[in-house]
Amino acid sequence: MKILIILLPLFIFHCSQIQWRPASLAVERGWSETGKNIVQTEVIYEEKDAWNPLSGTTHKKNYRTKFRIYEIPGTLSDSGDPPIYSYEIGSWTLPGSVYFHSATNRLFWIQGINDEYGGAIRFPAVWSPKGFRSFEPKSFQKEDQTIFQFVPSPDGGKAAIILGKLRSDLEIESPVLIIADVNGQSSSYDRSYFEFPLVKWEETPEFRIRWSENSDLLYIRVQNQVFKTNEKSKKLEEAKEFPVCFYPASNFGPVGISPGGKGGDSDIARDMEAPPFKRFKDKPLVKSLNQTKDCSQ
């Protein structure tokens, strides 16, 4: 009887460890192009410990993502007020993929389908509190393709997308660049996207996409070469000169920032960090990749 009394608390503790419990990833945030809005992304799921403690991980299921969009009134003001928009989806989002565009009220992200967080089965998505429904990735993304990049243009009307087949050795096969219209205004005889096959693509700093300041051109770095294109030219052309910055890729997007004031995730007072994308400019143009730099700093 004494042994049972001693072992019972241990048994209860062990059972509590293998039951499903709520969990979440670290909250991500990003500035809009005007600096007037912040989008907060929180990935929520359920987890439980594995039977084998040496596995070093937990089982996870039922992923959800909550988006909260805050308005920042004035100059670097308090953002502790309730969000102006909230939206939830029934899956995970890829880290660093969430953008909110103030002028068009559009939210962009890369979304998963199953409980394999960060897995190859994922697609681009767009939502707007104004009832936006025109973006359809099935028109250009095939079932065996994985999306690696999804970057909206500065005006919020187009998006640059990198797709490819992810092999078991993590090499990307048959990469392709897509420029998709997200305005939903293409005529019936004109496709809402344009496709450009790429010789190679890797998720490394030597492979970058970068919108021009006015959204007219897209620059693509493929190792030691830079190309440019748009929906009018319908082809990739070697760029004789290009912007000095290939990062950030657009004038808004995900960054590690903290809202100012009190409220939101914490009651601790904190200073607001300035929007880093205000420095997004085409000039100076350069002719050598040795002259490029990271302009997010």
Side-chain angles (χ1 to χ4, degrees), residues 64-96:
R64 294 178 293 134
T65 300
K66 292 184 177 181
F67 302 109
R68 301 179 184 91
I69 299 165
Y70 295 89
E71 189 171 35
I72 311 298
T75 304
L76 304 184
S77 182
D78 188 336
S79 67
D81 294 333
I84 57 173
Y85 304 121
S86 295
Y87 187 60
E88 182 174 324
I89 60 173
S91 188
W92 48 267
T93 53
L94 201 64

Side-chain angles (χ1 to χ4, degrees), residues 207-245:
F207 295 79
R208 296 279 193 185
I209 55 178
R210 199 262 196 207
W211 283 102
S212 64
E213 187 179 352
N214 63 4
S215 304
D216 283 351
L217 288 172
L218 183 74
Y219 295 92
I220 306 99
R221 176 180 178 179
V222 181
Q223 289 185 308
N224 297 322
Q225 287 184 286
V226 177
F227 303 90
K228 64 180 180 180
T229 190
N230 58 25
E231 69 272 25
K232 294 181 180 179
S233 70
K234 300 181 177 61
K235 61 181 179 179
L236 289 177
E237 301 174 322
E238 186 175 359
K240 302 300 182 182
E241 55 182 13
F242 38 85
V244 69
C245 303

